[in-house]
Amino acid sequence: MLSILELSAVLLTLSAVLGWINHKYLPMPHTIGLLVMSVAASLILVIIDAAVPDRHLFDALTNAMLQIDFSAVVMDGMLAFLLFAGSLHVDLGKLRERAAPVAILATFGTVVSTFIVGAGFWLTAKLLGQPIPIAWALVFGALISPTDPVAVLATLKNVKVPQSLEVEMQGESLFNDGVGIVVFTVMLLFATGDTGERTTVSAISELLIVEAGGGILLGVLTGVIAYWAMRLIDDYAVEVLISLALVTATYAIAQRLHVSGPLAVVAAGLLIGYHAPRKAMSDRTQTYVFGLWTLIDEILNSVLFLLIGLEVLVLKFDVTAMVIAAITIPVVLIARLAAVGIPALVSWSSELMSTRNVPFLTWAGIRGGISVALALSVPDSPSKSVILAGTYAVVLFSIIVQGSTLGFLARKTILKRQT
């Protein structure tokens, strides 16, 4: 069994080597290139292992991957740092201006998508002779519906769109996790038969208010404390340390208080990113703080996308599950179209949301590591293998295909109208 140091060394070395190869020889964006190469390498290893079943040539690597609790690594480790790094660079002033569409996409869009995907997933499995309970289908709908902030923010680095639209996408991806995780939690209660008082309308509403509202309030409180601490001194080393303490402490407290950790660090990041450079940080401190978080974002993104690709080594899917997964991809795209299209149609005569942006926003619904982490956290059941297959199919398609073609779509739709 590899030690923590050895595992870290393997992942960082692979990230560095594959990142170098991508930068030197391939035209793909960094994170997409890492994912493509890690998936390709995993599939090659799986094929070789299947061709020589008695040799087990890659047991060491497979066992190393089995040591990694992907769900815990993402949800209890990387996510806090990645969300803070992403929110740090979002313009809070612009986000306030687009607060209404962001709230609609993050709440209404997530819920609508959950039920459309769940119904489509259930019907597809039934027609293909591998029926799953509707409750488990809705669990899949809940975990796959939120757009992934890490994947969306990584993709936006390589896509040029109008600032208002970029802020909408950033805001939606940063805030819909809270809604998505609450919906996922509720659907999981139904699926596992753990119903009762916790699944009444009042209990669900209370859970949403406490999780989401409590997380945002906690993030604002810790963000204000960190902001004032930075304002009272001018020492870049200490202020960098404050930013690191802010993220870890906020997320840890959120878990203890059972409020949304993701929303808490997003709120703290937005506050620090907007107010601290104006009144609390010198130019030198800004260089170090924002430089550090840019590097953290790049490094953790690299490792996360590598891990998503390498997880193929330890997942077992049957043929029927893979067919269901392939059909699920257009189902998720249709659900995304409804999630962004219905609000746009309702508000077509106002400036709230534009129907002209619907095709782009539909294709920009990138899913990523959070969906995979939630799928892996699902308790063992006959439906889990189908859920995992559907999750991986959607995540790989959205990151590789949608992510790599989003810039082209933006040039042909959004930017073409401005010329």
Side-chain angles (χ1 to χ4, degrees):
M1 182 176 288
L2 298 178
S3 67
I4 297 291
L5 177 61
E6 290 169 330
L7 271 174
S8 302
V10 169
L11 293 175
L12 289 172
T13 301
L14 281 174
S15 298
V17 170
L18 296 180
W20 185 89
I21 293 171
N22 179 66
H23 182 80
K24 185 74 174 175
Y25 299 109
L26 300 178
M28 292 181 288
H30 176 67
T31 50
I32 295 176
L34 276 177
L35 180 60
V36 169
M37 286 188 288
S38 60
V39 169
S42 297
L43 291 175
I44 291 170
L45 295 181
V46 168
I47 292 170
I48 294 174
D49 215 34
V52 194
D54 55 332
R55 298 296 296 274
H56 301 293
L57 300 174
F58 305 104
D59 274 358
L61 184 55
T62 302
N63 291 335
M65 291 305 301
L66 287 170
Q67 282 183 245
I68 300 173
D69 185 341
F70 185 91
S71 182
V73 167
V74 175
M75 302 303 292
D76 299 331
M78 292 184 177
L79 187 59
F81 293 93
L82 288 167
L83 288 177
F84 184 83
S87 59
L88 204 61
H89 294 89
V90 176
D91 189 327
L92 183 58
K94 296 291 183 183
L95 185 60
R96 287 197 199 104
E97 295 174 6
R98 306 302 299 166
V102 166
I104 291 169
L105 291 172
T107 54
F108 172 83
T110 302
V111 173
V112 166
S113 176
T114 295
F115 284 97
I116 294 176
V117 171
F121 193 62
W122 172 79
L123 183 59
T124 300
K126 184 178 180 180
L127 292 175
L128 290 175
Q130 192 169 332
I132 63 174
I134 185 65
W136 283 110
L138 289 172
V139 167
F140 173 73
L143 68 88
I144 207 66
S145 290
T147 56
D148 187 273
V150 179
V152 170
L153 294 174
T155 302
L156 282 175
K157 293 175 184 176
N158 305 294
V159 178
K160 184 180 292 185
V161 296
Q163 191 175 35
S164 60
L165 183 59
E166 181 178 358
V167 168
E168 278 183 28
M169 293 170 63
Q170 291 172 330
E172 179 200 7
S173 65
L174 288 169
F175 284 103
N176 65 7
D177 288 329
V179 177
I181 290 172
V182 170
V183 175
F184 170 78
T185 302
V186 172
M187 294 305 170
L188 198 59
L189 289 175
F190 281 109
T192 56
D194 190 9
T195 55
E197 293 184 359
R198 289 192 292 174
T199 53
T200 62
V201 173
S202 60
I204 294 171
S205 301
E206 181 181 349
L207 178 63
L208 181 59
I209 292 171
V210 171
E211 280 269 342
I216 292 172
L217 285 175
L218 174 63
V220 170
L221 176 61
T222 56
V224 167
I225 293 171
Y227 165 75
W228 279 106
M230 290 177 174
R231 190 170 182 179
L232 293 174
I233 64 171
D234 183 16
D235 186 314
Y236 73 86
V238 176
E239 290 176 77
V240 164
L241 190 58
I242 289 172
S243 72
L244 290 168
L246 171 62
V247 176
T248 52
T250 299
Y251 207 82
I253 293 171
Q255 290 182 323
R256 286 288 182 179
L257 297 179
H258 302 291
V259 298
S260 175
L263 289 180
V265 293
V266 165
L270 288 171
L271 191 150
I272 293 296
Y274 185 74
H275 291 290
R278 289 167 170 78
K279 297 180 180 179
M281 292 182 185
S282 64
D283 291 341
R284 188 183 188 192
T285 298
Q286 289 182 51
T287 300
Y288 280 99
V289 170
F290 284 87
L292 171 72
W293 283 102
T294 298
L295 286 173
I296 288 175
D297 185 42
E298 293 290 343
I299 293 169
L300 291 185
N301 261 313
S302 299
V303 175
L304 176 58
F305 281 78
L306 176 73
L307 276 174
I308 292 174
L310 292 178
E311 279 291 313
V312 173
L313 283 171
V314 297
L315 298 177
K316 307 296 182 184
F317 305 130
D318 58 45
V319 176
T320 306
M322 295 302 294
V323 175
I324 294 172
I327 298 174
T328 299
I329 294 171
V331 171
V332 171
L333 286 172
I334 291 169
R336 175 66 179 173
L337 175 62
V340 300
I342 293 173
L345 287 173
V346 171
S347 61
W348 69 271
S349 60
S350 71
E351 294 296 323
L352 182 63
M353 298 179 73
S354 173
T355 54
R356 295 175 300 177
N357 293 337
V358 168
F360 179 79
L361 284 173
T362 299
W363 200 245
I366 311 293
R367 275 71 176 186
I370 292 176
S371 293
V372 176
L374 290 176
L376 289 169
S377 72
V378 169
D380 289 334
S381 73
S383 302
K384 184 169 183 176
S385 63
V386 184
I387 290 173
L388 280 173
T391 302
Y392 254 83
V394 172
V395 168
L396 293 180
F397 180 87
S398 68
I399 293 175
I400 297 172
V401 179
Q402 293 173 234
S404 59
T405 57
L406 200 57
F408 173 79
L409 183 62
R411 289 191 296 272
K412 292 298 181 181
T413 56
I414 307 297
L415 300 179
K416 189 175 182 179
R417 297 198 304 263
Q418 298 180 332
T419 58

